Amino acid sequence: MSEITSERLCRSIFISDIHLGTRGCQADALLEFLRHYQAQHLYLIGDIIDLWQLKRRWYWPTAHNTVVQKILRQARAGVQVTYVQGNHDPVLAILSKLIPLDQDGLFLGGIQLVDQCLHVTADGRRLWVTHGDQFDVTMRYAQWLTRLGDQGYTLLLFINRQHQRLNRLFGWHSRWSLSAALKRHIKKAVQYIGDYEQVLALTCRRGGYDGVVCGHIHHAEIKAMEGVMYYNDGDWVESCTALIEYLDGHLGLVRWGTEVLPEGSEADLPPATATA
């Protein structure tokens, strides 16, 4: 058994948008990450298993099954695992038709299934944890457009995979992503991300929380806005990012495969200030 170093110990891990059941899921990288860190709390913040894609076409390689088994083993070993449902994996909506649910959600295999939850950091801050899809306007009012966009996104990920295969063939190391590049440079995409972040931050402040932890848009970020902290843990399709709470309560982003140390740590950010 390998020695657990202080670098590997942390209090909480927040991951989302794994999309198990799709070809874009980087399950092997996620397994490396989960084997590296040891945490007390593990939050799975939506779109862990992509039921949309599995309904259209079954795809479930060994690595995806190993991810599920790894998470179940962690729950049995005493890690507090919380599964917050997303739009691609509405597990509570499905199970509620079969099993009566209470306000604490449902426990299966030692894992708590919830729609949203509260996390209190080691330094006493109250963080609202939600996937965030309910704040996506297209999700609420034009689901057909969302599903059409999902198919286009799948095509972009296919192009990304071919690019990565060429990288491996020539011995290059790059996590460049076409879909991520489009999100950064297309004005409408940038505006969409900004609007999403602002709505979540405003809702968080009105709820009396100190910050919000979310996923959904596959865009990892830590920033102070609307008087609270906004944390998006990214995804395991393009960027392979996670949010880590260290033992002293501060949070940082880890981009696995390129950066093991936290990047964009809140310690480097100005204090949150409310806007008019």
Side-chain angles (χ1 to χ4, degrees), residues 19 21-26 53 57 59 64 153-169 174 176-179 237-238:
H19 291 277
T22 70
R23 295 184 183 276
C25 170
Q26 299 199 43
Q53 287 289 344
R57 178 179 298 177
Y59 177 77
H64 293 205
Y153 182 61
T154 300
L155 175 60
L156 290 176
L157 292 178
F158 171 77
I159 296 172
N160 286 341
R161 288 197 300 275
Q162 305 314 308
H163 174 262
Q164 289 165 5
R165 283 172 183 161
L166 285 174
N167 282 341
R168 289 193 295 270
L169 180 63
S174 170
W176 181 86
S177 165
L178 175 59
S179 51
V237 176
E238 300 171 70

Side-chain angles (χ1 to χ4, degrees), residues 16 62 91 116 126 132 135 156 172 177 181 201 232 243-244 255:
S16 73
T62 301
V91 287
Q116 58 184 335
R126 300 172 70 253
F135 299 96
L156 290 176
W172 301 332
S177 165
N232 193 306
L243 184 70
I244 299 289
R255 190 176 302 276

